[in-house]
Amino acid sequence: MMNKTSAPVPGRNVVVVGTQWGDEGKGKLVDWLTETATGVVRFQGGHNAGHTLVINGVKTALHLIPSGIMRPGVKCYIGNGVVLAAGKLLEEIQGLEAAGVEVRSRLRVSEACPLILPFHAALDVAREAAKEKAGTVKIGTTGRGIGPAYEDKVARRALRVQDLKHPERFATKLRELLAYYNTQLLALGADQLDWSRFAWLRDQPLSAFMTNGQLGYDAVHAQAMAHAEQIKPMIADVSRELNAAHAAGANLLFEGAQGTLLDVDHGTYPFVTSSNCVAGNAAAGAGVGPGLLHYVLGITKAYCTRVGGGPFPTELDWETEGNPGWHMATVGAEKGTTTGRSRRCGWFDAALLKRSAQVNGLSGLCITKLDVLDGLSELKLCTGYMLDGETVDILPMGADDIERCTPIYETLPGWSQSTVGVTRHADLPPEAQHYLERIAQTTGVPIHMVSTSPDRDHTILLHHPYHA
């Protein structure tokens, strides 16, 4: 009789998404969960996203590389749903290497990623400048070229990472794209802008590529080819590798960028990003089937913030000292990781989170920055809105309707005790426990984790996402 070798048991996979407008603290939780995972996948967005991790008191900012890179031995993947600025990726790699983190042997980049090149950023900046000059409302982009790169992808004209392996093909496509972009830049008055003010790489402004508002072929091409030599060893068929890893028993963690309300379909359109930030895009943006996504963890702050333009129903006065909004902004250090812009602050919005739960299929919540609310005598929780004389209990679709919403609040007692560093639910003040209970009740999603400081170890675990 033949001996039978038992097949490996497939791994369990978790998707981590932001449920508000981004900046919810996904980076810390991805890093924390990576203790159980063997691979971490970034599936959308570009270097307009940012995660700040604090490990043993040391702060590290990441923009493209998955947060799991801080765990030795963990593989990290950049999926095809990401738009990639090769120079920014190399900057990030060099920064991590200078801190003693091994990156290149553990990082795999999908050959299907569209590339972000200097002309994408130039168009992004020129468009926002033209809107400002005309007195129209700006979208509030980061000026990183994310939107134009996604436009190229959808229009089927994008240069992709795989083109870096074929110099002649790359050169032909680059000339076509430059002609296309220079025409648009001319129409937008790019020759009137001071391009030395706008950074491309850390020490290189966009003016390095431009003359009289037009991009030159030689400078863009030379830099891209120099980046290609460093990127090539990390290029991979990420879809195939992820499916093989799962079949072999690996636990994978899929990491989204931004937040659900910035999703191009389900967010506060048009004040959104240019990609799908919801959990379902983990499948399309990484090349795995949706059946491989076993658990969806929604990350949400204990209050709300947003960067840039667009409606924000529960927004408070966050600029005047002494107000609850100012308390959130100050104690929470609410500055964008990527841009340094101040984040607008407001009360927790359960109706907003109901929308996020619906479009993501959330399995559980992780509440972050609970400690920021320490010291507030009372808290307000938005349970719905008045919209055109009617009560609604879920965030409407699109910015126009949301702009007309007036929040309906429930008032809860605050607490004076410090929650910083608490790791057991029973050790939280009774008022904090009650606040969390009301969040779970009003949103309909169980709370499985609570973060009580930016530090990796300051986490209350109620249910582990990797446990069925």
Side-chain angles (χ1 to χ4, degrees):
M1 186 170 66
M2 295 178 62
N3 291 326
K4 293 185 178 180
T5 304
S6 59
V9 177
R12 180 171 169 83
N13 304 322
V14 171
V15 184
V16 173
V17 292
T19 60
Q20 297 163 318
W21 283 285
D23 309 308
E24 299 95 347
K26 296 181 292 295
K28 169 192 165 172
L29 272 301
V30 168
D31 172 67
W32 189 90
L33 287 166
T34 305
E35 187 173 27
T36 310
T38 49
V40 183
V41 190
R42 171 79 180 276
F43 62 83
Q44 52 83 213
H47 61 292
N48 57 339
H51 296 319
T52 300
L53 311 178
V54 180
I55 301 169
N56 298 325
V58 178
K59 185 179 290 189
T60 300
L62 299 174
H63 303 277
L64 276 168
I65 298 173
S67 307
I69 201 69
M70 304 305 290
R71 295 275 188 180
V74 172
K75 273 202 162 185
C76 290
Y77 304 85
I78 295 178
N80 56 275
V82 174
V83 284
L84 187 82
K88 294 295 184 181
L89 177 64
L90 292 170
E91 272 188 2
E92 201 162 306
I93 289 172
Q94 290 158 9
L96 288 166
E97 288 175 337
V101 179
E102 166 53 34
V103 180
R104 295 174 200 252
S105 66
R106 296 193 287 133
L107 181 63
R108 310 293 276 163
V109 180
S110 172
E111 59 187 348
C113 289
L115 289 167
I116 304 176
L117 292 158
F119 45 82
H120 293 121
L123 183 64
D124 207 352
V125 168
R127 282 175 172 170
E128 290 285 86
K131 287 180 180 179
E132 186 172 31
K133 185 177 180 180
T136 56
V137 179
K138 297 193 294 181
I139 297 297
T141 75
T142 59
R144 269 41 178 193
I146 311 300
Y150 274 115
E151 289 174 35
D152 280 356
K153 173 183 176 177
V154 175
R156 295 164 294 186
R157 59 173 173 257
L159 275 161
R160 304 207 297 180
V161 165
Q162 60 189 195
D163 292 317
L164 294 173
K165 299 187 292 185
H166 305 281
E168 290 184 7
R169 185 170 81 193
F170 186 95
T172 299
K173 289 185 177 182
L174 178 61
R175 290 186 187 279
E176 294 172 356
L177 279 172
L178 281 173
Y180 172 78
Y181 276 93
N182 278 333
T183 299
Q184 293 190 63
L185 287 167
L186 185 64
L188 288 166
D191 57 328
Q192 303 300 311
L193 294 177
D194 178 4
W195 290 100
S196 65
R197 293 174 45 226
F198 304 102
W200 174 237
L201 299 181
R202 185 179 293 111
D203 299 317
Q204 184 181 47
L206 281 169
S207 57
F209 305 93
M210 305 190 76
T211 303
N212 297 324
Q214 299 284 278
L215 289 132
Y217 169 83
D218 290 340
V220 176
H221 180 263
Q223 186 180 78
M225 290 298 98
H227 292 160
E229 291 308 306
Q230 294 191 64
I231 294 289
K232 283 178 187 177
M234 294 177 279
I235 298 175
D237 182 343
V238 165
S239 172
R240 182 173 183 174
E241 291 196 10
L242 291 174
N243 280 277
H246 169 72
N251 287 338
L252 300 174
L253 189 60
F254 293 82
E255 173 187 33
Q258 289 98 20
T260 300
L261 273 298
L262 291 176
D263 183 278
V264 69
D265 287 308
H266 302 287
T268 50
Y269 190 91
F271 300 96
V272 292
T273 192
S274 300
S275 61
N276 288 112
C277 312
V278 294
N281 196 37
V288 301
L292 265 61
L293 309 178
H294 303 124
Y295 176 105
V296 180
L297 180 66
I299 313 298
T300 184
K301 278 179 181 165
Y303 50 101
C304 272
T305 64
R306 110 166 272 177
V307 171
F312 184 175
T314 64
E315 183 173 11
L316 296 166
D317 175 1
W318 46 271
E319 295 180 296
T320 303
E321 185 173 352
N323 290 328
W326 181 86
H327 175 99
M328 296 167 188
T330 305
V331 179
E334 295 296 353
K335 295 278 188 180
T337 302
T338 299
T339 63
R341 291 183 293 180
S342 294
R343 299 181 186 131
R344 302 151 64 189
C345 297
W347 295 119
F348 186 88
D349 191 336
L352 176 155
L353 205 134
K354 282 183 184 177
R355 175 68 68 186
S356 292
Q358 176 178 283
V359 299
N360 285 300
L362 297 179
S363 308
L365 290 175
C366 174
I367 305 297
T368 63
K369 290 199 166 185
L370 182 68
D371 54 295
V372 172
L373 301 181
D374 295 354
L376 291 176
S377 60
E378 70 174 26
L379 308 172
K380 293 186 184 294
L381 187 151
C382 174
T383 57
Y385 319 102
M386 291 300 298
L387 173 61
D388 299 336
E390 295 186 3
T391 303
V392 293
D393 66 352
I394 191 169
L395 190 76
M397 296 286 282
D400 293 336
D401 283 350
I402 297 171
E403 194 70 63
R404 302 199 308 279
C405 285
T406 301
I408 299 169
Y409 287 119
E410 174 181 319
T411 301
L412 299 168
W415 56 91
S416 57
Q417 307 96 308
S418 173
T419 64
V420 176
V422 173
T423 57
R424 293 192 331 130
H425 183 267
D427 293 337
L428 291 172
E431 297 85 357
Q433 294 183 37
H434 179 58
Y435 182 64
L436 294 174
E437 288 168 10
R438 288 300 295 146
I439 287 176
Q441 290 165 358
T442 53
T443 62
V445 186
I447 294 174
H448 287 169
M449 301 174 72
V450 181
S451 171
T452 55
S453 96
D455 195 275
R456 171 194 279 172
D457 296 323
H458 294 167
T459 304
I460 298 170
L461 178 64
L462 302 172
H463 175 80
H464 203 298
Y466 276 105
H467 298 163

